[in-house]
Amino acid sequence: MITIHVDASTKGNPGPSGGGFVLSGDGVHIQQAFALTGELTNHEAEFAALLSTLEYVIDHELHSRTVMIYTDSKILAQTVTKNYARHPEYQKYLQEINEKLQMFSLIFIEWIPEAKNKGADHMARQGLQKVLKQHKKRGCDKSR
């Protein structure tokens, strides 16, 4: 079994966003920080971070293991668990997430308090810094 703590970080609402996860178990320990594309709300960023994390797990052929995902986003955990989203933007993410979930042998998602998700929060903040650096570079390139 592997456990994954996932989180997102957004500057503004909406604004640039980053995501991150900490994956561990069965002799594996991976920390990943990544930029998220577009101007996202904090909730959209949580969905996008989970989607990116699922893609990583599939790409690295870890999806045949039992996977336990922890998030500090109640809306994300409830939406995925209940397989229902009222908000149209969340419906789009839920559909993409469900497509990925079909590839897993056994997967669970559970809400945890923010205090228990500090590793993923740290990775998400690093992901946000990557995005902000990219924006800053583009701003410098435009001034030339």
Side-chain angles (χ1 to χ4, degrees):
M1 180 165 120
I2 58 174
T3 61
I4 303 170
H5 289 77
V6 64
D7 203 6
S9 182
T10 302
K11 183 174 182 174
N13 196 18
S17 304
F21 66 83
V22 177
L23 182 153
S24 59
D26 291 343
V28 178
H29 185 79
I30 301 164
Q31 297 183 87
Q32 188 79 35
F34 46 87
L36 296 171
T37 306
E39 298 282 308
L40 303 173
T41 66
N42 56 343
H43 294 308
E44 290 169 341
E46 296 285 355
F47 281 94
L50 175 60
L51 190 57
S52 293
T53 300
L54 295 174
E55 289 169 354
Y56 180 94
V57 172
I58 292 166
D59 289 347
H60 290 82
E61 300 180 2
L62 299 169
H63 57 289
S64 62
R65 303 180 191 192
T66 300
V67 176
M68 185 70 207
I69 296 180
Y70 296 100
T71 176
D72 59 18
S73 169
K74 283 185 181 181
I75 194 161
L76 175 63
Q78 290 174 349
T79 299
V80 175
T81 301
K82 293 178 180 180
N83 193 27
Y84 174 76
R86 182 179 299 172
H87 191 287
E89 196 63 32
Y90 305 162
Q91 290 171 0
K92 179 183 78 170
Y93 282 110
L94 182 59
Q95 181 179 353
E96 291 181 58
I97 288 167
N98 280 334
E99 289 172 12
K100 302 294 181 200
L101 292 179
Q102 291 177 20
M103 302 180 78
F104 286 77
S105 297
L106 186 59
I107 189 166
F108 301 95
I109 186 165
E110 184 176 314
W111 175 82
I112 58 171
E114 198 172 300
K116 293 188 176 183
N117 207 28
K118 291 187 183 221
D121 177 68
H122 181 71
M123 292 291 98
R125 290 176 189 274
Q126 285 185 19
L128 175 59
Q129 289 307 309
K130 288 180 181 185
V131 173
L132 296 176
K133 284 180 186 176
Q134 290 171 355
H135 283 299
K136 192 174 180 180
K137 270 187 174 176
R138 284 189 211 128
C140 291
D141 290 342
K142 288 179 184 176
S143 64
R144 289 181 184 185

